mmCIF file of all heavy atoms in Angstrom:
data_model
loop_
_atom_site.group_PDB
_atom_site.id
_atom_site.type_symbol
_atom_site.label_atom_id
_atom_site.label_comp_id
_atom_site.label_asym_id
_atom_site.label_seq_id
_atom_site.Cartn_x
_atom_site.Cartn_y
_atom_site.Cartn_z
ATOM 1 N N VAL A 1 0.819 -1.192 0.002
ATOM 2 C CA VAL A 1 -0.023 0.030 -0.008
ATOM 3 C C VAL A 1 0.861 1.231 0.005
ATOM 4 O O VAL A 1 0.687 2.181 -0.755
ATOM 5 C CB VAL A 1 -0.946 -0.024 1.221
ATOM 6 C CG1 VAL A 1 -1.678 1.357 1.318
ATOM 7 C CG2 VAL A 1 -1.991 -1.167 1.115
ATOM 8 N N ASN A 2 1.923 1.279 0.828
ATOM 9 C CA ASN A 2 2.784 2.432 0.919
ATOM 10 C C ASN A 2 3.579 2.652 -0.398
ATOM 11 O O ASN A 2 3.782 3.763 -0.825
ATOM 12 C CB ASN A 2 3.745 2.230 2.080
ATOM 13 C CG ASN A 2 3.067 2.313 3.427
ATOM 14 O OD1 ASN A 2 2.017 2.950 3.534
ATOM 15 N ND2 ASN A 2 3.754 1.766 4.411
ATOM 16 N N GLN A 3 3.902 1.547 -1.056
ATOM 17 C CA GLN A 3 4.596 1.588 -2.339
ATOM 18 C C GLN A 3 3.733 2.215 -3.394
ATOM 19 O O GLN A 3 4.151 3.015 -4.223
ATOM 20 C CB GLN A 3 5.097 0.199 -2.784
ATOM 21 C CG GLN A 3 6.546 0.071 -2.883
ATOM 22 C CD GLN A 3 6.844 -1.343 -3.429
ATOM 23 O OE1 GLN A 3 6.529 -2.359 -2.849
ATOM 24 N NE2 GLN A 3 7.522 -1.353 -4.608
ATOM 25 N N VAL A 4 2.445 1.841 -3.437
ATOM 26 C CA VAL A 4 1.488 2.344 -4.381
ATOM 27 C C VAL A 4 1.378 3.844 -4.266
ATOM 28 O O VAL A 4 1.423 4.642 -5.215
ATOM 29 C CB VAL A 4 0.103 1.668 -4.309
ATOM 30 C CG1 VAL A 4 -0.959 2.475 -5.005
ATOM 31 C CG2 VAL A 4 0.177 0.238 -4.832
ATOM 32 N N ILE A 5 1.261 4.348 -2.988
ATOM 33 C CA ILE A 5 1.198 5.777 -2.696
ATOM 34 C C ILE A 5 2.451 6.491 -3.185
ATOM 35 O O ILE A 5 2.365 7.505 -3.803
ATOM 36 C CB ILE A 5 0.907 6.025 -1.220
ATOM 37 C CG1 ILE A 5 -0.441 5.412 -0.841
ATOM 38 C CG2 ILE A 5 1.004 7.476 -0.924
ATOM 39 C CD1 ILE A 5 -0.730 5.362 0.677
ATOM 40 N N ALA A 6 3.592 5.917 -2.903
ATOM 41 C CA ALA A 6 4.870 6.492 -3.299
ATOM 42 C C ALA A 6 5.024 6.505 -4.817
ATOM 43 O O ALA A 6 5.465 7.508 -5.416
ATOM 44 C CB ALA A 6 5.980 5.768 -2.648
ATOM 45 N N MET A 7 4.667 5.441 -5.447
ATOM 46 C CA MET A 7 4.735 5.374 -6.953
ATOM 47 C C MET A 7 3.834 6.427 -7.581
ATOM 48 O O MET A 7 4.207 7.143 -8.492
ATOM 49 C CB MET A 7 4.421 3.975 -7.478
ATOM 50 C CG MET A 7 5.495 2.984 -7.267
ATOM 51 S SD MET A 7 5.255 1.425 -8.149
ATOM 52 C CE MET A 7 3.898 0.748 -7.175
ATOM 53 N N ALA A 8 2.621 6.541 -7.088
ATOM 54 C CA ALA A 8 1.686 7.531 -7.625
ATOM 55 C C ALA A 8 2.278 8.941 -7.386
ATOM 56 O O ALA A 8 2.300 9.735 -8.389
ATOM 57 C CB ALA A 8 0.326 7.430 -6.872
ATOM 58 N N ALA A 9 2.803 9.229 -6.252
ATOM 59 C CA ALA A 9 3.381 10.590 -5.975
ATOM 60 C C ALA A 9 4.553 10.824 -6.924
ATOM 61 O O ALA A 9 4.733 11.940 -7.372
ATOM 62 C CB ALA A 9 3.856 10.673 -4.536
ATOM 63 N N ALA A 10 5.342 9.827 -7.204
ATOM 64 C CA ALA A 10 6.506 9.980 -8.118
ATOM 65 C C ALA A 10 6.055 10.449 -9.515
ATOM 66 O O ALA A 10 6.851 11.050 -10.235
ATOM 67 C CB ALA A 10 7.315 8.722 -8.210
ATOM 68 N N HIS A 11 4.835 10.141 -9.873
ATOM 69 C CA HIS A 11 4.290 10.534 -11.102
ATOM 70 C C HIS A 11 3.437 11.780 -11.008
ATOM 71 O O HIS A 11 2.831 12.268 -11.994
ATOM 72 C CB HIS A 11 3.406 9.389 -11.766
ATOM 73 C CG HIS A 11 4.207 8.267 -12.282
ATOM 74 N ND1 HIS A 11 4.966 8.314 -13.434
ATOM 75 C CD2 HIS A 11 4.460 6.998 -11.711
ATOM 76 C CE1 HIS A 11 5.576 7.126 -13.607
ATOM 77 N NE2 HIS A 11 5.335 6.332 -12.573
ATOM 78 N N GLY A 12 3.340 12.419 -9.834
ATOM 79 C CA GLY A 12 2.543 13.524 -9.646
ATOM 80 C C GLY A 12 1.076 13.217 -9.464
ATOM 81 O O GLY A 12 0.248 14.160 -9.609
ATOM 82 N N LEU A 13 0.726 12.025 -9.113
ATOM 83 C CA LEU A 13 -0.688 11.637 -8.909
ATOM 84 C C LEU A 13 -0.983 11.585 -7.404
ATOM 85 O O LEU A 13 -0.181 11.038 -6.580
ATOM 86 C CB LEU A 13 -0.928 10.210 -9.452
ATOM 87 C CG LEU A 13 -0.745 10.011 -10.931
ATOM 88 C CD1 LEU A 13 -0.725 8.507 -11.289
ATOM 89 C CD2 LEU A 13 -1.923 10.722 -11.727
ATOM 90 N N GLN A 14 -2.131 12.177 -7.077
ATOM 91 C CA GLN A 14 -2.658 11.934 -5.686
ATOM 92 C C GLN A 14 -3.406 10.630 -5.724
ATOM 93 O O GLN A 14 -3.766 10.076 -6.759
ATOM 94 C CB GLN A 14 -3.564 13.085 -5.321
ATOM 95 C CG GLN A 14 -2.848 14.398 -4.890
ATOM 96 C CD GLN A 14 -3.775 15.377 -4.353
ATOM 97 O OE1 GLN A 14 -4.603 15.870 -5.071
ATOM 98 N NE2 GLN A 14 -3.650 15.641 -3.042
ATOM 99 N N VAL A 15 -3.624 10.124 -4.503
ATOM 100 C CA VAL A 15 -4.357 8.879 -4.346
ATOM 101 C C VAL A 15 -5.634 9.013 -3.594
ATOM 102 O O VAL A 15 -5.646 9.688 -2.566
ATOM 103 C CB VAL A 15 -3.417 7.861 -3.621
ATOM 104 C CG1 VAL A 15 -4.207 6.459 -3.377
ATOM 105 C CG2 VAL A 15 -2.128 7.577 -4.432
ATOM 106 N N GLN A 16 -6.734 8.436 -4.128
ATOM 107 C CA GLN A 16 -7.952 8.269 -3.412
ATOM 108 C C GLN A 16 -7.874 6.832 -2.819
ATOM 109 O O GLN A 16 -7.841 5.871 -3.513
ATOM 110 C CB GLN A 16 -9.143 8.370 -4.217
ATOM 111 C CG GLN A 16 -10.434 8.063 -3.453
ATOM 112 C CD GLN A 16 -11.627 7.615 -4.295
ATOM 113 O OE1 GLN A 16 -11.723 8.036 -5.456
ATOM 114 N NE2 GLN A 16 -12.447 6.779 -3.772
ATOM 115 N N LEU A 17 -7.906 6.756 -1.473
ATOM 116 C CA LEU A 17 -7.843 5.439 -0.847
ATOM 117 C C LEU A 17 -9.320 5.094 -0.536
ATOM 118 O O LEU A 17 -10.033 5.787 0.196
ATOM 119 C CB LEU A 17 -7.063 5.429 0.415
ATOM 120 C CG LEU A 17 -5.553 5.539 0.327
ATOM 121 C CD1 LEU A 17 -4.913 5.578 1.720
ATOM 122 C CD2 LEU A 17 -4.993 4.317 -0.436
ATOM 123 N N THR A 18 -9.709 3.910 -1.063
ATOM 124 C CA THR A 18 -11.073 3.413 -0.745
ATOM 125 C C THR A 18 -10.804 2.198 0.234
ATOM 126 O O THR A 18 -10.213 1.190 -0.221
ATOM 127 C CB THR A 18 -11.801 2.964 -2.008
ATOM 128 O OG1 THR A 18 -12.074 4.134 -2.812
ATOM 129 C CG2 THR A 18 -13.115 2.340 -1.600
ATOM 130 N N LEU A 19 -11.333 2.289 1.402
ATOM 131 C CA LEU A 19 -11.089 1.333 2.442
ATOM 132 C C LEU A 19 -12.299 0.365 2.542
ATOM 133 O O LEU A 19 -13.358 0.588 1.995
ATOM 134 C CB LEU A 19 -10.892 1.968 3.792
ATOM 135 C CG LEU A 19 -9.954 3.126 3.843
ATOM 136 C CD1 LEU A 19 -9.910 3.743 5.285
ATOM 137 C CD2 LEU A 19 -8.559 2.662 3.466
ATOM 138 N N PHE A 20 -12.072 -0.758 3.257
ATOM 139 C CA PHE A 20 -13.180 -1.644 3.680
ATOM 140 C C PHE A 20 -13.991 -2.132 2.398
ATOM 141 O O PHE A 20 -15.262 -2.318 2.469
ATOM 142 C CB PHE A 20 -14.155 -1.055 4.676
ATOM 143 C CG PHE A 20 -13.484 -0.845 6.014
ATOM 144 C CD1 PHE A 20 -13.115 0.458 6.397
ATOM 145 C CD2 PHE A 20 -13.306 -1.895 6.904
ATOM 146 C CE1 PHE A 20 -12.557 0.615 7.667
ATOM 147 C CE2 PHE A 20 -12.683 -1.681 8.104
ATOM 148 C CZ PHE A 20 -12.312 -0.394 8.532
ATOM 149 N N ASP A 21 -13.297 -2.341 1.271
ATOM 150 C CA ASP A 21 -14.006 -2.850 0.104
ATOM 151 C C ASP A 21 -14.261 -4.366 0.333
ATOM 152 O O ASP A 21 -13.419 -5.119 0.904
ATOM 153 C CB ASP A 21 -13.084 -2.662 -1.147
ATOM 154 C CG ASP A 21 -13.850 -2.921 -2.414
ATOM 155 O OD1 ASP A 21 -15.040 -2.663 -2.490
ATOM 156 O OD2 ASP A 21 -13.222 -3.438 -3.371
ATOM 157 N N TRP A 22 -15.366 -4.824 -0.173
ATOM 158 C CA TRP A 22 -15.820 -6.247 -0.023
ATOM 159 C C TRP A 22 -15.758 -6.690 1.432
ATOM 160 O O TRP A 22 -15.274 -7.795 1.784
ATOM 161 C CB TRP A 22 -14.938 -7.165 -0.910
ATOM 162 C CG TRP A 22 -15.144 -7.071 -2.333
ATOM 163 C CD1 TRP A 22 -15.952 -6.203 -3.003
ATOM 164 C CD2 TRP A 22 -14.510 -7.847 -3.349
ATOM 165 N NE1 TRP A 22 -15.852 -6.382 -4.335
ATOM 166 C CE2 TRP A 22 -14.986 -7.413 -4.592
ATOM 167 C CE3 TRP A 22 -13.574 -8.874 -3.338
ATOM 168 C CZ2 TRP A 22 -14.579 -8.036 -5.782
ATOM 169 C CZ3 TRP A 22 -13.196 -9.443 -4.475
ATOM 170 C CH2 TRP A 22 -13.681 -9.033 -5.726
ATOM 171 N N TRP A 23 -16.381 -5.927 2.277
ATOM 172 C CA TRP A 23 -16.307 -6.175 3.720
ATOM 173 C C TRP A 23 -17.599 -5.776 4.325
ATOM 174 O O TRP A 23 -18.292 -4.888 3.871
ATOM 175 C CB TRP A 23 -15.124 -5.344 4.303
ATOM 176 C CG TRP A 23 -14.949 -5.482 5.769
ATOM 177 C CD1 TRP A 23 -14.143 -6.345 6.415
ATOM 178 C CD2 TRP A 23 -15.579 -4.671 6.821
ATOM 179 N NE1 TRP A 23 -14.232 -6.170 7.756
ATOM 180 C CE2 TRP A 23 -15.065 -5.148 8.069
ATOM 181 C CE3 TRP A 23 -16.484 -3.623 6.824
ATOM 182 C CZ2 TRP A 23 -15.464 -4.633 9.252
ATOM 183 C CZ3 TRP A 23 -16.859 -3.100 8.013
ATOM 184 C CH2 TRP A 23 -16.369 -3.581 9.210
ATOM 185 N N GLY A 24 -18.062 -6.457 5.376
ATOM 186 C CA GLY A 24 -19.296 -6.158 6.060
ATOM 187 C C GLY A 24 -19.401 -6.577 7.456
ATOM 188 O O GLY A 24 -20.494 -6.869 7.962
ATOM 189 N N SER A 25 -18.335 -6.719 8.207
ATOM 190 C CA SER A 25 -18.407 -7.103 9.664
ATOM 191 C C SER A 25 -18.704 -5.830 10.470
ATOM 192 O O SER A 25 -17.851 -5.427 11.279
ATOM 193 C CB SER A 25 -17.047 -7.730 10.039
ATOM 194 O OG SER A 25 -16.817 -8.919 9.358
ATOM 195 N N TYR A 26 -19.893 -5.330 10.326
ATOM 196 C CA TYR A 26 -20.221 -4.011 10.923
ATOM 197 C C TYR A 26 -20.330 -4.022 12.416
ATOM 198 O O TYR A 26 -20.159 -2.960 13.030
ATOM 199 C CB TYR A 26 -21.536 -3.527 10.309
ATOM 200 C CG TYR A 26 -21.447 -3.233 8.801
ATOM 201 C CD1 TYR A 26 -22.289 -3.848 7.919
ATOM 202 C CD2 TYR A 26 -20.496 -2.344 8.289
ATOM 203 C CE1 TYR A 26 -22.204 -3.619 6.552
ATOM 204 C CE2 TYR A 26 -20.443 -2.092 6.949
ATOM 205 C CZ TYR A 26 -21.235 -2.703 6.076
ATOM 206 O OH TYR A 26 -21.178 -2.485 4.752
ATOM 207 N N SER A 27 -20.454 -5.127 13.053
ATOM 208 C CA SER A 27 -20.575 -5.167 14.460
ATOM 209 C C SER A 27 -19.164 -5.076 15.152
ATOM 210 O O SER A 27 -19.033 -4.815 16.351
ATOM 211 C CB SER A 27 -21.295 -6.376 14.947
ATOM 212 O OG SER A 27 -20.618 -7.593 14.641
ATOM 213 N N ASP A 28 -18.062 -5.282 14.373
ATOM 214 C CA ASP A 28 -16.786 -5.334 14.933
ATOM 215 C C ASP A 28 -16.045 -4.034 14.820
ATOM 216 O O ASP A 28 -15.093 -3.893 14.046
ATOM 217 C CB ASP A 28 -15.995 -6.477 14.228
ATOM 218 C CG ASP A 28 -14.692 -6.820 14.955
ATOM 219 O OD1 ASP A 28 -14.358 -6.128 15.935
ATOM 220 O OD2 ASP A 28 -14.018 -7.795 14.530
ATOM 221 N N THR A 29 -16.512 -3.054 15.542
ATOM 222 C CA THR A 29 -15.863 -1.690 15.424
ATOM 223 C C THR A 29 -14.494 -1.684 15.989
ATOM 224 O O THR A 29 -13.633 -0.930 15.539
ATOM 225 C CB THR A 29 -16.793 -0.604 16.113
ATOM 226 O OG1 THR A 29 -17.047 -0.983 17.426
ATOM 227 C CG2 THR A 29 -18.070 -0.426 15.375
ATOM 228 N N ALA A 30 -14.202 -2.478 16.996
ATOM 229 C CA ALA A 30 -12.872 -2.500 17.604
ATOM 230 C C ALA A 30 -11.851 -2.917 16.619
ATOM 231 O O ALA A 30 -10.800 -2.330 16.470
ATOM 232 C CB ALA A 30 -12.864 -3.374 18.865
ATOM 233 N N SER A 31 -12.146 -4.027 15.826
ATOM 234 C CA SER A 31 -11.199 -4.404 14.842
ATOM 235 C C SER A 31 -11.082 -3.407 13.700
ATOM 236 O O SER A 31 -10.019 -3.217 13.109
ATOM 237 C CB SER A 31 -11.567 -5.806 14.293
ATOM 238 O OG SER A 31 -11.431 -6.784 15.250
ATOM 239 N N SER A 32 -12.180 -2.793 13.350
ATOM 240 C CA SER A 32 -12.148 -1.776 12.265
ATOM 241 C C SER A 32 -11.296 -0.600 12.659
ATOM 242 O O SER A 32 -10.414 -0.188 11.900
ATOM 243 C CB SER A 32 -13.583 -1.234 12.094
ATOM 244 O OG SER A 32 -14.521 -2.196 11.691
ATOM 245 N N ASP A 33 -11.375 -0.233 13.974
ATOM 246 C CA ASP A 33 -10.520 0.886 14.468
ATOM 247 C C ASP A 33 -9.039 0.531 14.383
ATOM 248 O O ASP A 33 -8.263 1.284 13.978
ATOM 249 C CB ASP A 33 -10.876 1.243 15.954
ATOM 250 C CG ASP A 33 -12.236 1.815 16.089
ATOM 251 O OD1 ASP A 33 -12.908 2.138 15.050
ATOM 252 O OD2 ASP A 33 -12.675 1.973 17.237
ATOM 253 N N ARG A 34 -8.694 -0.704 14.831
ATOM 254 C CA ARG A 34 -7.352 -1.185 14.738
ATOM 255 C C ARG A 34 -6.814 -1.232 13.321
ATOM 256 O O ARG A 34 -5.703 -0.894 13.018
ATOM 257 C CB ARG A 34 -7.166 -2.632 15.412
ATOM 258 C CG ARG A 34 -7.226 -2.536 16.928
ATOM 259 C CD ARG A 34 -6.794 -3.833 17.555
ATOM 260 N NE ARG A 34 -7.610 -4.919 17.186
ATOM 261 C CZ ARG A 34 -8.779 -5.299 17.858
ATOM 262 N NH1 ARG A 34 -9.144 -4.586 18.899
ATOM 263 N NH2 ARG A 34 -9.467 -6.371 17.482
ATOM 264 N N TRP A 35 -7.708 -1.731 12.399
ATOM 265 C CA TRP A 35 -7.215 -1.849 11.002
ATOM 266 C C TRP A 35 -6.950 -0.551 10.403
ATOM 267 O O TRP A 35 -5.938 -0.330 9.715
ATOM 268 C CB TRP A 35 -8.311 -2.589 10.245
ATOM 269 C CG TRP A 35 -7.955 -3.040 8.906
ATOM 270 C CD1 TRP A 35 -7.200 -4.113 8.484
ATOM 271 C CD2 TRP A 35 -8.310 -2.413 7.589
ATOM 272 N NE1 TRP A 35 -7.097 -4.153 7.155
ATOM 273 C CE2 TRP A 35 -7.791 -3.147 6.561
ATOM 274 C CE3 TRP A 35 -9.161 -1.347 7.298
ATOM 275 C CZ2 TRP A 35 -7.987 -2.802 5.221
ATOM 276 C CZ3 TRP A 35 -9.349 -0.968 6.008
ATOM 277 C CH2 TRP A 35 -8.753 -1.745 4.992
ATOM 278 N N VAL A 36 -7.895 0.450 10.527
ATOM 279 C CA VAL A 36 -7.651 1.782 9.933
ATOM 280 C C VAL A 36 -6.452 2.519 10.603
ATOM 281 O O VAL A 36 -5.767 3.162 9.977
ATOM 282 C CB VAL A 36 -8.893 2.671 9.932
ATOM 283 C CG1 VAL A 36 -9.886 2.125 9.066
ATOM 284 C CG2 VAL A 36 -9.417 2.963 11.314
#
């Protein structure tokens, strides 16, 4: 993930990060917090 951000920046591109794709464990906020 860090490499993708750095490669994009090297080309002058900003990154939109989309998190929690294909995910739905909505009751587990503690793990969500740790992950982000």
Side-chain angles (χ1 to χ4, degrees):
V1 172
N2 293 339
Q3 243 186 298
V4 165
I5 294 167
M7 284 190 289
H11 288 284
L13 295 168
Q14 284 188 291
V15 176
Q16 173 203 331
L17 289 177
T18 296
L19 310 177
F20 292 103
D21 191 34
W22 289 5
W23 179 90
S25 298
Y26 295 122
S27 63
D28 192 356
T29 55
S31 293
S32 300
D33 293 351
R34 284 193 297 274
W35 189 78
V36 294

